[in-house]
């Protein structure tokens, strides 16, 4: 059996993430082509139009995992949700107003996290998550996860997230679990 290759995690701000877009795109396209997502080239193109917009958010943050020779193996990114976020409006059943309150500093929206198949089950996702949250001055983290993505759902639960509802994050999307991690 071969020894696992060393993985490094790099924290990136918006401009640095734009410069590394090719690496983010490679990880995203490979990971989200798999069931239950089954994303196409058009879906990936749409995701990266959003990515470019998201990287311009004031407190955008990202983490990128690479092998020692620079091969991208995993990524995560997000940003604090502003007062006008549509995230809470997507819930099938509304939550209390106090939970919905956003001010641009309270909640980090975890937009995407993925690890390419050969590097899964080696703690890369956990390291990406920790790196992304390190130094984030937020009270909580919010994310959507496809309920048929058993490994991702299990990881989030193990990291302390709890399901607070269900939503369709975009028109025509499958129902996703909405999960919240309290950092206080």
């Amino acid at each position: 059996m071969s020894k696992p290759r060393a993985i490094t995690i790099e924290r990136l701000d918006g401009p640095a993430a734009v410069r590394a877009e090719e690496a983010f795109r490679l990880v995203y396209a490979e990971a989200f082509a798999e069931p239950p997502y089954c994303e196409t080239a058009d879906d990936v193109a749409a995701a990266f139009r959003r990515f470019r917009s998201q990287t311009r958010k004031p407190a955008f943050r990202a983490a990128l995992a690479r092998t020692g020779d620079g091969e991208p193996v995993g990524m995560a990114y997000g940003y604090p949700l502003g007062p006008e976020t549509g995230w809470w409006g997507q819930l099938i059943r509304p939550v209390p107003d106090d939970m919905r309150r956003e001010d641009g500093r309270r909640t980090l929206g975890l937009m995407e996290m993925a690890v390419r198949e050969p590097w899964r089950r080696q703690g890369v996702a956990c390291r990406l998550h920790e790196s992304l949250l390190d130094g984030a001055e937020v009270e909580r983290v919010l994310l959507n996860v496809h309920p048929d993505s058993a490994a991702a759902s299990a990881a989030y639960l193990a990291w302390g997230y709890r399901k607070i509802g269900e939503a369709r994050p975009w028109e025509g999307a499958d129902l996703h679990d909405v999960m919240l991690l309290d950092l206080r």
Side-chain angles (χ1 to χ4, degrees):
M1 179 183 279
S2 64
K3 183 179 177 186
R5 293 175 275 185
I7 304 295
T8 59
I9 309 289
E10 179 183 11
R11 274 274 308 286
L12 306 164
D13 62 7
V18 168
R19 289 189 298 275
E21 181 178 327
E22 197 75 19
F24 282 89
R25 183 184 289 264
L26 175 95
V27 173
Y28 183 99
E30 189 174 304
F32 290 106
E34 300 171 4
Y37 304 100
C38 303
E39 291 201 10
T40 65
D42 287 344
D43 296 325
V44 173
F48 278 84
R49 283 191 297 276
R50 288 188 304 273
F51 176 81
R52 284 182 217 109
S53 171
Q54 292 166 338
T55 60
R56 291 191 295 271
K57 301 281 184 185
F60 176 91
R61 54 196 305 124
L64 184 61
R66 295 182 186 265
T67 62
D69 61 3
E71 183 177 359
V73 301
M75 58 85 181
Y77 59 88
Y79 54 85
L81 302 177
E84 303 304 316
T85 184
W87 205 313
W88 295 107
Q90 298 167 344
L91 286 164
I92 301 301
R93 288 189 188 89
V95 294
D97 286 344
D98 185 55
M99 183 179 275
R100 300 169 57 98
R101 180 183 51 77
E102 297 299 347
D103 60 9
R105 294 180 303 280
R106 183 180 191 197
T107 308
L108 179 75
L110 177 53
M111 300 302 156
E112 301 294 351
M113 180 155 46
V115 176
R116 294 172 63 203
E117 200 284 324
W119 290 275
R120 293 182 191 150
R121 292 168 293 286
Q122 297 178 32
V124 175
C126 184
R127 291 179 56 206
L128 283 163
H129 187 259
E130 288 172 355
S131 179
L132 191 69
L133 298 185
D134 185 42
E137 295 181 7
V138 295
E139 295 174 19
R140 60 195 191 167
V141 183
L142 186 67
L143 61 82
N144 292 327
V145 63
H146 196 294
D148 292 343
S149 182
S153 294
Y156 295 133
L157 288 169
W159 299 339
Y161 285 84
R162 63 185 167 93
K163 180 178 172 180
I164 59 166
E166 297 174 320
R168 292 192 193 281
W170 62 90
E171 189 175 325
D174 291 339
L175 210 54
H176 283 57
D177 291 339
V178 179
M179 302 185 82
L180 187 72
L181 173 65
D182 192 342
L183 298 174
R184 290 174 287 174

